[in-house]
Amino acid sequence: MSESFGLFKGLKVTFKELFRKSVTDKYPKEFREKPQRFHGRHVLNRYEDGMEKCIGCELCAGVCPAQCIYVRGEDNPEDEPVSPGERYGFIYEINMLRCIYCALCVEACPTEAITMTSLFEMSVANRSEAIFDKSVLVVNDDGTPNTHEEQTKLTRFEELQTSDGWMRATSSNGNPNFQNVVNWSGSLGVGKKDPEKGQSLEEE
Amino acid sequence: MSENIKINVNGNQIESTPNKLLIEACEDSGIHIPRFCWHKRLDPVGMCRMCLVEIETPRGKMLVPSCTTEVTDEMVVDTESEVVKKAQEGVLEFLLINHPLDCPICDKAGECPLQDQTMAYGPGESRFVEEKRHFEKPISISEIILLDRERCILCARCTRFSDEISGDPLIEFIQRGNKTEVNTFPNEPFKSYFSGNTVQICPVGALTSTSYRFKARPWDLKSVRSTCNGCPVGCSTELNSSQNKMLRILGVDNDSVNQGWLCDKGRYNFEYLNSEFRLKNPLKKIDNELKETSVKEIYTELSELISDRNTNINFLIGTNSTNEDYVAFNEFAKNFPTTNQTFYLNDDYLYAGFFEQDINRATIDDLNNSEAIVIWAEDLKENLPVLYLRVRQAVKNGVKLIVFGHSNSTLEDIADFYYSEDIVSENFEIIKDISKLKGIKEHVKDKNVTAIIGKSTPYQLDEYLDKLVSYLVENSNSKIMNAFSSGNTFGAINNLDNVKNLRDFTKNVSSENTDLLFIVGSDPIGRSVFSNEIHRIIEDIDNVVCLDLFLHETSELCNYIIPTSSTLGEKEGTFTNIEFRTSRIDKLVPSPGQSLSDWEFISGLSNFCNFINNIDSLDGLNELAYQDFDNQDSPSFKNLDKPSNFDGIINDYQPNVSTMPNETITSQYFVGKKLYGDNITIRYSDSISLLGAKQFIEASESTIEKLNLSSGECTLKQNGHQVSANYVVNNKLADGVIFIPQNRRNFNRFDFSETIEISPNQSKEALNVN
Amino acid sequence: MKETLLLTKHMRENPEDSHLIDSYEKNGGYETARRTLINGSPENVLEEIKASNIRGRGGAGFPTGVKWGFLAENEDRYLVINADESEPGTFKDRILLERDPHQLIEGIIITCFAANIKNAFIYIRGEYAKPARRVQDAVEQAYQKGYLGKNIFNSEMNLDLVVHLGAGAYICGEETALLNSLEGRRGEPRLKPPYFPAVKGLYMKPTLVNNVETISSVPWIVENTGKEYNKLGVEGSTGTRIFSLSGHVNNPGNYEIEMGSSFGEFVESLGNGIRNNKKVKAYIPGGASAPWFRGDQLDIKMTIDDVANNNSMLGSGAVVMMDEDTNLVNAAKSIVSFFAHESCGQCTPCREGTTWLEMILDRVASGRGRASDIDLLLDVCDNISPGLSWPPKMTTICPLGPSAVSPITSLMNDFREEVESLIPTKVLL
């Protein structure tokens, strides 16, 4: 065995990789498609009638491992209710600098009020802006997401439109026949979502 | 005492005493049986059926409710058998089929026995698919209590509490079967002084209080154990806060004091802590205007006044401070050996004769262990509410009750003997022939007696009380408790060397003998019956320093105002209650702005003037306060922080109180206090502020007729001072007696020894005068 | 088969005016009481009652003599007549109150004499307006004659009798709930222990609670001796009994017969058979709370013990016949609805369970049932009455909850196919 053969042997991997298509993206010029269950920035959803889904129950704040959510509930004003029921989220703040995007808040939410989107490139000018409050988190009346950031090269607000897929142990549409059947639903925007295909009893 | 018996629970031998309920016997041995309706302090009803256990009987194993079954010797019990588990699952499923499961918005969620027991004993899921039972969501059954009947599991704890314990059964079950609901009677709100307790013992979120509604969830609450300083009973409390805001007060089951109960004032009078009107910075009066300043500037100006140690200083001391605060003032006063310092206590009910006679002091528990209770004191229900509950409890256990005076007319229903005369001043001649009274002859003479003695009204003469006390001391095996209405009075008396009462203040203090007056946490102008005199005196004195939470009638007149920390949850210390039991007061939330504790201010001033005192640490003050006691009995922080002493330590203090001999001061009216008054703290506690704002007088129907009142409202007029008020019919008052509450706005400006003109209120103008 | 008339003799013979005191006295009324009070002794009366072996006619069938013996000693003792007859199918007390109230009053006088009681109460069901009026009138007549009040029949004995009308609650037929109601509280059963009426009854004093029919039998027993009474009927179920026959029979009504014949015989002869000559599908032997018997069990004897041996109870003597056309699920549903409506609301299993059972049965009966509903029904029943055995075990204070269970267990044990046929096989989504 000559020594030069050893050199070629060593470079074999190099040459092989030289002609393979690159795996790196030209970020930020190009963006990679994100997986369906990607955990990005939160939104607070509304019902079709414009009512906020959040009832201020603080379960998200209680379950948050980073303790980045601060919620206070209040009595719903009778003549102009904010959410259905007695209580609504009076203060809702998430400190995005602390958030670890674990989505435990989404799982804990009893009304599907808080869900996650695919947007994760957020930028703020100072720390206090990183605390997102209701004016940012709650979706608009038409169900479109809200933001207080300026459009930059990095932020792609259309990613706020793509919601994460997530699952619940029980049916989201309240049909008791769906007990114990895993049921997927998209979550962003207004209204209750139909279960995804392949999960209803009808098709079994 | 009967001998212990042995029972067999789940194969283990446990010991118990006869006649004990099975659920209690198991609890004592660490075996938890789930329950909803059973409560240690209430009679068992066996309604929820959650505590079913199997016992062996001659007819085989039987399911019985452990809350109504008494233990018997050799009883064999199974609390974990399959049958029991099935029954528990069944009951929980039944309870949940009509429970709304709105846990996410329920105030109880997180500390809810129904949640906890469903997790521990319940079925995994419900098989109920029909529509649940519906009621109107929370209805308000009083100003401070909300009722959600959908959540109610009909355990009857609240109805039993108000019937058995507080004695005002204003809520009851109505309808039957599946439609049963708890409700009030039509047009009769749940107007009880103890309604907050029903919220605390409710095992679900059916009863909630307006002050805590949606404020926080249990898992983000911080809590400490403390002592309520609202009245001298000194109930054990648990303070809850979230985000540094006091949000809730709960009663702690202190067997020898409050047994878990609190009055509504003690429970809900905390919102003022978060009030925007709290003083945050020191104020100084410049050209009759209060301007913000710094503590240092106040120290500088005061030190000029006092550093030569030759100043005449007097103190007008409130009863809301801790024992450590009082020690600090006492030590501070020792720096002026050449002048005479006196501590005048802001308590117009202080009865000093109590300390002059040779008596056995009573504890609250003695009420239960005596043959008779003698009461001649201010209205227990209005002023010492939890003591009133303990008296009720003792009477229920068969103790005879003898009541003097119409101040305690609320006890008339349960009293065996009730003596009152048709005179207003409560200075009863019958006391002179006391041995001839039937109740005294039969139940007091040579018996074990517990007496609650105190002034029923500020105008009561000591000599009559002295008569009763000396009769009891001489003729019965008596223990006596001194009743008075303000908080830490005994702590002040114990720790201050020269205490006098408020009436002495009006006689002794003037600008001539006082260069500097400290007013500590009190509003005598707004609250006491000597309002006018004190107003004059304070105005005259050149330098008045006030330590308080708010600006009020008294503090407005002062030259220097120091914002202080509230004794409720903002500072540490100790509190001495009506039976000389000292217990811990603890800190939970920070005080606003530059607030200082009383002792911090005075020790700062002392240091600033280069006085040498040992008052610059709380622990030091605490040691000073209890230096005379044996190490073991001393209620020092070190001892009180041991779990076995959480309920407080009773000590045999010998206080040094002297008040002036009684001269004849009489009142034409029966003056007293109501639970809710127009105090500055209640005024700024939103949920209860309205309860203390109503202006009213009370009289019997015939008295009202004599006054020609008809429209429901009247005007009280005297020397140009005029107050309009409602009148309330109280037929328990004797003929001719008119009750005037002194702790309502402007009422205490009247001179009660002179006639007040009471006329019907017809014109609109008259209503708007005040 | 013939009737044996002891209690109903007077009303049968004087159909027009049997409720009036004149008519009653004309036929020898109040004579027994008069003789007993003047010449007799309480011990003798008690002996006679014990010798008669009469068992309580209210439903539980507890020996009356023994019950009287249990009454604790006290200065104040009370007698309460339970006339809150609300068991569906039962209407025997009604005729005794409405048509022969003086017989009851005479029985009360003798009972109070025997038990040394000075205050008695008749608690009449709220819906019984006419019987209550009749009894009230009769009591007033008796007072006028001096048969009630002070020194009755010029003897030493004093007795006050109060008629109290309930407010319409089945549960007040339960003796402790009745006492609560009589005291002015909510009609809810008390805990036993410790509140046994014989020790801590009305106003926490020893109290005797007896059924109308039981006390109405007392004058006959004392007049004709307990030994004679004991000869009637069979051992364990002595004397006559008024059975209320209803349902799909040709001649429904009250029949007073000696106990011991079979249900079949009773229905055929006195009831004149089932209407339209249909067959019996099922029948209830002793009121709505008793488990049912099948149509092929008509040879069971009408005695307390024989019925009990066949896992049901003779109860209050209400026999309800259901012919082959009956929809038994609906029948069970209406019985369960009744109990759900009448539950007092104290115990969780009864309050929630009975209503739930009603909902499930309603679903099944209207064809919206699910395959799991049969198991669900049985399991809910099991949570109210563990084991579903007879006599029932209870998770409740009183037997009302388990009473609602018995028609369902009967249905499931004997007529399961009928229930299954109502449940659609296809699962609806």
Side-chain angles (χ1 to χ4, degrees), chain C residues 33 53 91 125 156 164 188 234 250 253 298 300 311 318 323 329 335 342 351 383 386 396:
Chain C
N53 282 326
F91 40 89
R125 175 186 181 194
E156 295 285 289
H164 184 92
E188 288 173 343
V234 294
N250 284 322
L298 278 166
I300 292 172
N311 288 337
D323 71 16
V329 177
I335 293 178
E342 295 293 345
R351 178 181 71 236
N383 284 338
T396 50

Side-chain angles (χ1 to χ4, degrees), chain B residues 117-293:
Chain B
Q117 293 183 29
T118 304
M119 284 296 287
Y121 305 96
E125 57 184 272
S126 172
R127 296 171 292 183
F128 184 79
V129 292
E130 279 82 7
E131 193 173 341
K132 296 192 182 223
R133 183 171 55 215
H134 286 301
F135 287 109
E136 190 190 336
K137 279 295 214 183
I139 51 170
S140 111
I141 52 172
S142 78
E143 281 95 338
I144 44 182
I145 308 288
L146 297 165
L147 169 66
D148 187 329
R149 292 161 293 174
E150 286 186 353
R151 292 179 190 156
C152 178
I153 58 166
L154 304 169
C155 67
R157 277 190 182 187
C158 54
T159 54
R160 275 181 290 154
F161 171 82
S162 47
D163 187 24
E164 294 166 19
I165 307 286
S166 72
D168 37 18
L170 293 168
I171 46 173
E172 239 318 337
F173 284 144
I174 57 172
Q175 301 286 11
R176 74 170 178 220
N178 199 32
K179 297 192 180 68
T180 315
E181 55 179 285
V182 172
N183 215 326
T184 52
F185 297 98
N187 300 324
E188 251 189 88
F190 184 33
K191 209 173 160 186
S192 164
Y193 283 165
F194 305 98
S195 57
N197 294 306
T198 62
V199 176
Q200 190 177 337
I201 60 175
C202 181
V204 291
L207 288 161
T208 49
S209 45
T210 49
S211 64
Y212 180 65
R213 183 170 161 83
F214 300 159
K215 286 284 187 307
R217 310 308 304 270
W219 53 84
D220 54 36
L221 290 179
K222 275 205 308 186
S223 74
V224 295
R225 183 173 168 156
S226 187
T227 305
C228 177
N229 67 328
C231 80
V233 176
C235 302
S236 293
T237 56
E238 184 190 309
L239 313 177
N240 289 161
S241 76
S242 172
Q243 306 283 339
N244 282 337
K245 265 189 175 180
M246 181 85 83
L247 290 179
R248 183 169 72 166
I249 300 178
L250 296 174
V252 171
D253 197 331
N254 179 341
D255 192 53
S256 32
V257 183
N258 58 325
Q259 307 194 331
W261 312 129
L262 290 182
C263 66
D264 283 359
K265 187 174 154 195
R267 189 182 292 272
Y268 296 119
N269 189 16
F270 64 87
E271 286 164 308
Y272 66 86
L273 293 176
N274 310 325
S275 165
E276 54 179 314
F277 298 104
R278 274 288 289 275
L279 291 172
K280 293 177 186 68
N281 296 308
L283 301 174
K284 190 178 122 183
K285 194 170 260 178
I286 306 169
D287 301 332
N288 254 335
E289 232 178 276
L290 287 167
K291 295 262 166 64
E292 279 192 9
T293 175

Side-chain angles (χ1 to χ4, degrees), chain C residues 309-417:
Chain C
N309 291 339
N310 283 288
N311 288 337
S312 184
M313 63 169 184
L314 200 55
S316 53
V319 183
V320 183
M321 290 292 159
M322 292 182 268
D323 71 16
E324 51 194 322
D325 294 342
T326 318
N327 180 341
L328 290 181
V329 177
N330 269 337
K333 196 196 108 193
S334 52
I335 293 178
V336 172
S337 300
F338 171 80
F339 285 115
H341 181 254
E342 295 293 345
S343 167
C344 77
Q346 255 196 121
C347 309
T348 310
C350 172
R351 178 181 71 236
E352 308 288 350
T354 51
T355 320
W356 193 9
L357 287 176
E358 184 193 348
M359 287 173 173
I360 302 170
L361 279 174
D362 183 57
R363 203 162 68 198
V364 173
S366 59
R368 291 179 289 115
R370 304 165 181 207
S372 59
D373 278 351
I374 292 181
D375 290 339
L376 179 59
L377 272 174
L378 285 172
D379 196 52
V380 172
C381 289
D382 188 69
N383 284 338
I384 302 173
S385 174
L388 301 177
S389 53
W390 188 268
K393 289 185 174 167
M394 315 189 281
T395 57
T396 50
I397 294 173
C398 83
L400 191 145
S403 296
V405 166
S406 50
I408 296 176
T409 47
S410 304
L411 195 66
M412 292 303 173
N413 289 338
D414 299 334
F415 306 97
R416 197 173 177 120
E417 302 79 37

Side-chain angles (χ1 to χ4, degrees), chain B residues 287-343:
Chain B
D287 301 332
N288 254 335
E289 232 178 276
L290 287 167
K291 295 262 166 64
E292 279 192 9
T293 175
S294 67
V295 182
K296 196 181 169 191
E297 197 180 330
I298 293 181
Y299 279 167
T300 317
E301 289 186 21
L302 287 180
S303 69
E304 281 165 20
L305 204 68
I306 62 174
S307 50
D308 63 350
R309 303 193 181 211
N310 202 15
T311 330
N312 287 310
I313 304 181
N314 277 316
F315 297 85
L316 181 51
I317 296 273
T319 53
N320 291 322
S321 303
T322 61
N323 294 351
E324 285 68 22
D325 291 330
Y326 295 130
V327 173
F329 284 114
N330 201 39
E331 291 298 311
F332 177 75
K334 287 180 184 164
N335 289 310
F336 306 90
T338 53
T339 55
N340 186 21
Q341 285 78 39
T342 313
F343 297 97

Side-chain angles (χ1 to χ4, degrees), chain A residues 55-59 61-63 70-76 85-88 110 176 179-180, chain B residues 102 104-107 125-126 129 137-138 146 148 151 213-217 219-220 242-243 247:
Chain A
I55 50 172
C57 71
E58 301 185 29
L59 282 173
V63 79
Y70 172 54
V71 189
R72 281 285 112 128
E74 189 126 295
D75 233 330
N76 226 341
E86 299 166 58
R87 179 172 177 157
Y88 79 102
Q179 278 170 2
N180 294 332
Chain B
D102 49 5
I105 60 156
C106 177
D107 278 338
E125 57 184 272
S126 172
V129 292
K137 279 295 214 183
L146 297 165
D148 187 329
R151 292 179 190 156
R213 183 170 161 83
F214 300 159
K215 286 284 187 307
R217 310 308 304 270
W219 53 84
D220 54 36
S242 172
Q243 306 283 339
L247 290 179

Side-chain angles (χ1 to χ4, degrees), chain B residues 422-460:
Chain B
D422 293 353
I423 52 170
V424 289
S425 60
E426 294 247 347
N427 297 323
F428 293 164
E429 296 294 323
I430 51 167
I431 292 298
K432 288 181 177 160
D433 302 325
I434 183 169
S435 56
K436 288 181 187 157
L437 297 174
K438 188 165 174 254
I440 297 285
K441 250 192 304 195
E442 284 177 7
H443 298 292
V444 173
K445 199 162 164 49
D446 304 326
K447 296 269 169 71
N448 292 326
V449 178
T450 304
I452 301 174
I453 312 281
K455 286 194 182 187
S456 324
T457 150
Y459 295 98
Q460 188 164 13

